[in-house]
Amino acid sequence: MTAELWADVSALDGAATPVALAYARNSEIDAILVRASQLVDWEPLQRISIACLGTAAQLAGLDDRRVDLLVAESVTELDEVRALAAGRPIGVRAVIDDGDSMHAAAAVIGSVDVLIAAFTDETNIPLELLLAEAQSTTTRVFKELLSGAEARSVAGVLESGPAGLVVDAARLTDLDLVAQVLRHRREEHRTLVPLEVVRAEPVGMGYRGCVDTTSLFAEDEGMIVGSTSAGGILVCAEVHYLPYMNLRPFRVNAGAVHSYVFGAERTAYITDLAAGETTAAVSADGRFREVSVGRVKVELRPLRLIEARHGDVTVNVFLQDDWHVRVMSADGKPLNLTDVKPGTLLLGHLAEPGRHVGIKVNEKISEF
């Protein structure tokens, strides 16, 4: 699960709050942490969630449609704030400076939706203990950072890291730094292998989908596309020279509609991808990075079958039969599809076969 980034504006004065909120609108944060007194004279931040921090007295009578989560100021305030929730999710901010305060924070895990752990020391050991305690519960543990420099080490605690990081909005540059760290963690690496083409031929007309994303692809990027769950071939994005039209650096002409598009962990049928879904841009060195789908454009086009083999594993892909569609060679160079012949070495990814709704399942499966 992707870690969230929260901006804490709760300590800002009246003049600084609007500046931080304006910055938030154009940043990569997922939520802001505010006080009830700051909920005046500004409109909802649309995609950004609002968590309201305070004592029971400060939160009493709060009836604001913009607030998604009530956060108790401390563990001792939790029960009274819970009584005010009226069905809304509940969180608590716990200052942890010794063993007793750590155990007090651990004790509420399982009874709150969010635990914001505010450690006074730069150590990850107490965080590891809280994450271990929370792993079998619905409580999401957030780490309040002492500085943006902490982000890189904290994000990797117990591999999966906390559910989110909370950054003091008085340090706006830290928000950008932490966002960069979290963005990098959304990138994963998988081994790509050379695939020897054993079949390359036209197969007639069929529907193919272009996957348009909200990102721009690099010259060595595309998507892994295949017709079976055994794996696929790296199909290049439309970032290479075209004599008759402008480039579409946000697009991959991703093949026949029955095809899989492979992510680092999940796959999706091309026809399951839609605006707002996520998939993976894949580089020639095996880097999978998350990208958002803007649309999928399906049209009837002539198709070409490419079948390739690595060891005893065979994969295939049906792509639009046109030279301007490119696939990645085994040495990381784009090849025109119509130049691909038996013996050509392409770059691809092998996956353990057997998937249901895109998720690996342990069952015997044969695909032809």
Side-chain angles (χ1 to χ4, degrees), residues 299-310:
E299 295 161 313
L300 187 64
R301 293 290 186 268
L303 300 178
R304 176 175 288 256
L305 168 62
I306 303 295
E307 189 172 276
R309 183 176 298 144
H310 178 83

Side-chain angles (χ1 to χ4, degrees), residues 5 7 18-30 32 44-48 172 175-176 179 183:
L5 173 58
V19 175
L21 293 175
Y23 193 90
R25 282 189 171 90
N26 296 295
S27 72
E28 297 181 51
I29 70 168
D30 300 285
I32 61 169
L45 300 180
Q46 299 175 341
R47 64 176 178 82
I48 301 172
L172 295 178
L175 285 173
D176 292 334
R183 195 184 314 126

Side-chain angles (χ1 to χ4, degrees), residues 54-56 72-81 92-94 104-105 108:
T55 64
E73 181 85 51
S74 66
V75 172
T76 57
E77 293 278 339
L78 180 58
D79 288 340
E80 291 184 70
V81 171
V92 62
R93 180 178 182 268
V108 304

